[in-house]
Amino acid sequence: MSKTVPLEDTNRRICKLGRWQLVFLLVCSLAGDAQNVPSYSAKPWHSDREAQFAKELQDIPERGYALDANHTYTLAELVDLAESHNPDTRVAWQNAKARAQLMGVAKSALYPTITAVALARTVRQNSIYAGGFYRDTIGLFQSTLNLNYQIFDFGKRSGAIDAAKAELFAADFAFNDTHRKIIYQVTASYYRLLNAMGQQEAAKVTLLNAQTVEKDAQSRLDHGLATLPDLLEAQAASAQADFDLQAAVGALETAQGDLATILGLPPGTNFQVQDINDLPIPDALTDTADEAIDRGLAQRPDLLEQVAKVRSADAAIKAARSSYFPTLSFSGIGGEQRDYGQRNLFPSAYAERETWNVELNLQWTLFDGLRREHAVAEAKARHAEARAQVDSLRDQISDEVWRSYSDAKTALRQKRAAAALLVSADKSYAAALKSYDLGLRNLLDVVSAQRALAQARSADVYARTQVLTQISNLAFRTGDLVRNPSPRQNPQP
């Protein structure tokens, strides 16, 4: 005999099944949207979402600008281009702008806040009255203006403002330090490019000399005045000179790509720069090592940034100590309220009236499980850490300036020695070649003098660019690169 299932039970089961299906679909949806961690440590992570990120990357346009291929750029022009277009300057600039807004946020705590509030609510409930329950339906609509103002807090807000000001100073000094680094990167890359250009020219001259000697050896062999080993030695010298030239060409391309990248350009961008022969090269330093160290300790942006962090730590101590004292705040609301009510099926009622509330709140924390003591102790530790960072950075700057000053003096001495070496090697090569033509010297002597001359040319170019590089490095270490800069454009927003 079949059992009849009531219709209500059937509906209940259908509703229950529908709820479980809804839960299942929701879980599946969340699982599909979830981000998964890599399944194995030994394999790269891949996901279908990678294509979305790649598309978003393509939607972010690359910044670029054009250079005049016929213009010969000076170092000052290159520095100006880098400061205007290098993304690092934009990063530091936006960080400083964000810090300025955070200071505005901190100052806003000194002012009252006014908010407009609209509240609508309806409630139906059973209320007991005179021994029975009655169904009450209540509706409310309230529109008010709320005012809140903290009257005093014994330094919490002022400490936060002082900290925000110090952080803004730190961001400004960090911005200057970014420019210091960018300027040095440009100058160092520029001088590396000049060295690569000079090395290429020297390699070309060396190859030309080697080919000339090779042709002379071939001619002498053809006329019976030289031996085959002489020709082979000359050919080997030419091959070595060509090998050195190709290495110099590659170094030049790399140096130009490095400089283009710092300028915010694609590495393959072609542009012309001043030759090293057009630049004045100093013969001596204008100040002592102690004077350079004193300048570095007085004007380095990263050291001033650290001093600003000490200020911020001071303000944090002030804000932490304020929690020991009470705070007094004021709050008030004012507006209109409309009410609707009905009990059971009795006639409904409606009311409209003004509403306001004013409150003074004095709050003083008497015990908090030593939280305030630990907060003050942490702030003091952060302050001591910031002071220690200042001392550490001072020592680092002193060592950096001393080392760069010594390197600059060494570069000046090497420049003088390289110039003398070049003169001597040139005379030696000319004498060896002349003696070879007269039959007084063999080809090995000429090749040896030729190699010595090639090394002397390379050393002279390197020594001259090293003087410029090391003096620029000294200016970088002392902070002179960002003192009284010439007017330049702002970074591109």
Side-chain angles (χ1 to χ4, degrees), residues 15-48:
C15 292
K16 185 176 181 180
L17 180 61
R19 287 196 297 269
W20 280 111
Q21 290 177 341
L22 179 61
V23 171
F24 176 76
L25 292 175
L26 180 61
V27 171
C28 291
S29 176
L30 292 176
D33 291 338
Q35 177 180 344
N36 298 323
V37 299
S39 301
Y40 306 98
S41 62
K43 295 182 179 180
W45 173 85
H46 293 289
S47 170
D48 296 338

Side-chain angles (χ1 to χ4, degrees), residues 338-396:
R338 296 176 177 86
D339 297 293
Y340 165 84
Q342 184 180 24
R343 171 162 289 183
N344 287 348
L345 299 178
F346 296 127
S348 61
Y350 175 81
E352 180 179 356
R353 63 186 183 274
E354 295 179 351
T355 179
W356 56 267
N357 181 32
V358 177
E359 179 181 316
L360 278 177
N361 184 1
L362 179 66
Q363 184 174 347
W364 194 354
T365 302
L366 301 179
F367 179 74
D368 58 2
L370 301 180
R371 184 191 64 82
R372 292 171 294 182
E373 285 79 357
H374 292 305
V376 172
E378 180 192 6
K380 289 182 177 179
R382 297 296 183 189
H383 178 267
E385 178 188 8
R387 290 292 300 269
Q389 289 285 357
V390 170
D391 294 336
S392 175
L393 191 53
R394 279 174 173 166
D395 294 340
Q396 177 182 334

